[in-house]
Amino acid sequence: MDNYISKNLRKLRKEHDMTQDELAGKLGVSYQSVSKWEQGKSNPDLAMLPAIAVLFGVTIDELYGMDEIKRQQRLVKLNKRIKENYQLHRVNNNIPLIQEALDEYPDSYDLMFELGRSYFLAHVDEEETIGYLGEASELFNKVLKSTDNEKLKDDCRYYLNLCSYYSGESAVAHEESIDSSRELIKNILLADETMDTDRDMSMKNNIESLTMFLARQIWKLADPDCLYPATSVAAQKAAYLMKAADLLKWLYDENDFFRVHKELSDLYRVSAAIYMYDSRFEEALTAIEKAVEHAIAYDTSNGGVHSSLLVQGINDDFCSANKTCARLLANKLKQERYDRVRNNTNFRDAVNKLDRFINENQL
């Protein structure tokens, strides 16, 4: 069972303004032992746990993060039931299911979004549908204002505009959620009216925005959250995602991806999952290796000025202060779907490369 002892030890030590040397001295162990504990390379001996718990004034369960472990297990089961309901067209069943979960996890933006999506998709009579659209819009707006997850924000904007369309309202009524495509169209129309010195840069910005927009539309077309029991459909989904990756590589032909490394890592990661579903193991392993490369590149990127032809001179001032891409990928690769290649040398090498990077950077 996974535990959070390394993260909790580091957190508690810092909260008590204590260095690793000082903690080691109080526990009568070496500095190297504490360092390995905090990097997750080893765990304290069971006999050491009571002393650590007393030192920091917590219980052993708190030290191990048992509440968080139980929370994650509950959410995994919940997400599985939500996806099954979508696949079986039992969308209405998700509404009470997610409402109950939100009572337990009221700050989960992912659950808020899923509840909003379930309201939107619910097939009920016309009068109730309008009410459900209002509930959905309220949830999407709440998530949009609160989350830092850019993909979740994009999804909320997408569904808010659909809510507006189906309820007969103007999308402009949701000022903060106007689809980015509207802004892009405006910029394209106005590009020719800018001064000569700004015209080229305006067009380059439009090309970059349009390419990202198209890549995300292809992602939605692939519908990676929903797999069907037909290998031909799975193959098509993977092909869609590879088209999106090719589109990004076409634009950034000097490999100056910067923040786009995350988009590419996600595309390859989901493609690998679909390849596994279709028993295309060699393609899955290749996609996993590429996902690892782009995840590490994202977490180490500090942005810069693009040198690729069509975006040359555009400054991406991105700085990955929150290095989450590698850890997200590492967690995804623990899923059961990869068990059939888990002992493969290429898979182990990719996972080890990812783990070394995470441990060396204490992510």
Side-chain angles (χ1 to χ4, degrees), residues 85-347:
N85 284 335
Y86 283 141
Q87 292 173 347
L88 296 172
H89 303 286
R90 298 172 180 168
V91 177
N92 280 305
N93 291 356
N94 277 341
I95 293 174
L97 180 68
I98 303 173
Q99 284 174 331
E100 182 181 351
L102 277 170
D103 288 339
E104 188 175 353
Y105 310 115
D107 297 325
S108 173
Y109 300 127
D110 288 329
L111 286 178
M112 288 181 202
F113 171 77
E114 289 300 341
L115 180 57
R117 181 156 66 166
S118 294
Y119 272 129
F120 175 78
L121 295 173
H123 296 291
V124 291
D125 64 84
E126 183 177 351
E127 182 179 351
E128 197 168 6
T129 297
I130 298 299
Y132 276 2
L133 289 175
E135 296 278 1
S137 295
E138 185 176 337
L139 286 160
F140 292 139
N141 271 315
K142 184 174 181 179
V143 174
L144 190 62
K145 292 175 182 176
S146 305
T147 186
D148 293 326
N149 185 320
E150 290 301 324
K151 185 179 183 304
L152 200 54
K153 285 184 176 182
D154 282 345
D155 289 341
C156 285
R157 294 186 184 102
Y158 173 77
Y159 277 100
L160 271 166
N161 279 277
L162 288 177
C163 286
S164 297
Y165 174 79
Y166 283 107
S167 62
E169 299 173 10
S170 168
V172 178
H174 303 289
E175 192 167 329
E176 294 185 25
S177 62
I178 297 175
D179 198 316
S180 57
S181 60
R182 294 177 180 270
E183 189 68 19
L184 175 59
I185 291 170
K186 183 186 76 173
N187 289 339
I188 291 172
L189 293 173
L190 293 176
D192 283 332
E193 299 179 19
T194 58
M195 300 294 292
D196 288 343
T197 54
D198 299 324
R199 182 174 177 271
D200 286 356
M201 197 56 70
S202 294
M203 289 186 168
K204 288 179 180 180
N205 276 306
N206 289 340
I207 290 168
E208 184 177 48
S209 298
L210 183 57
T211 303
M212 293 300 300
F213 174 76
L214 290 174
R216 286 167 182 163
Q217 289 297 297
I218 295 172
W219 175 284
K220 292 181 187 298
L221 182 63
D223 191 14
D225 291 333
C226 185
L227 290 176
Y228 298 91
T231 55
S232 60
V233 176
Q236 187 179 59
K237 288 175 180 293
Y240 281 150
L241 294 173
M242 288 300 93
K243 286 291 185 184
D246 289 341
L247 191 60
L248 296 174
K249 289 187 286 186
W250 164 81
L251 181 63
Y252 303 102
D253 49 22
E254 294 294 330
N255 295 326
D256 48 346
F257 297 110
F258 303 141
R259 73 176 71 233
V260 179
H261 277 299
K262 186 176 189 306
E263 302 275 350
L264 286 165
S265 182
D266 288 343
L267 285 167
Y268 284 118
R269 169 178 60 80
V270 176
S271 297
I274 295 175
Y275 287 139
M276 288 299 303
Y277 177 84
D278 202 14
S279 298
R280 295 160 65 182
F281 303 125
E282 290 300 320
E283 289 163 291
L285 289 166
T286 299
I288 288 168
E289 290 170 350
K290 291 181 178 179
V292 169
E293 291 174 7
H294 286 292
I296 291 173
Y298 175 84
D299 285 348
T300 55
S301 177
N302 290 315
V305 178
H306 286 290
S307 56
S308 295
L309 179 64
L310 293 176
V311 289
Q312 192 175 54
I314 293 179
N315 182 28
D316 185 346
D317 58 359
F318 159 70
C319 179
S320 56
N322 296 317
K323 302 180 191 298
T324 58
C325 196
R327 182 164 289 283
L328 170 66
L329 179 59
N331 288 335
K332 293 290 185 181
L333 293 180
K334 294 176 184 177
Q335 294 174 338
E336 290 182 4
R337 73 178 82 204
Y338 300 107
D339 284 352
R340 288 181 289 174
V341 296
R342 200 164 299 283
N343 293 324
N344 180 280
T345 301
N346 292 340
F347 183 87

Side-chain angles (χ1 to χ4, degrees), residues 4-18 20 23 37-38 56 58 62-63 362:
Y4 294 80
I5 194 166
S6 59
K7 180 178 69 174
N8 289 338
L9 268 176
R10 185 164 60 248
K11 176 175 174 286
L12 289 166
R13 177 178 60 79
K14 290 182 177 180
E15 285 178 354
H16 285 75
D17 197 23
M18 197 181 299
Q20 288 184 339
L23 177 56
W37 296 344
E38 292 193 359
F56 291 127
V58 297
E62 287 173 322
L63 194 59
Q362 297 189 10

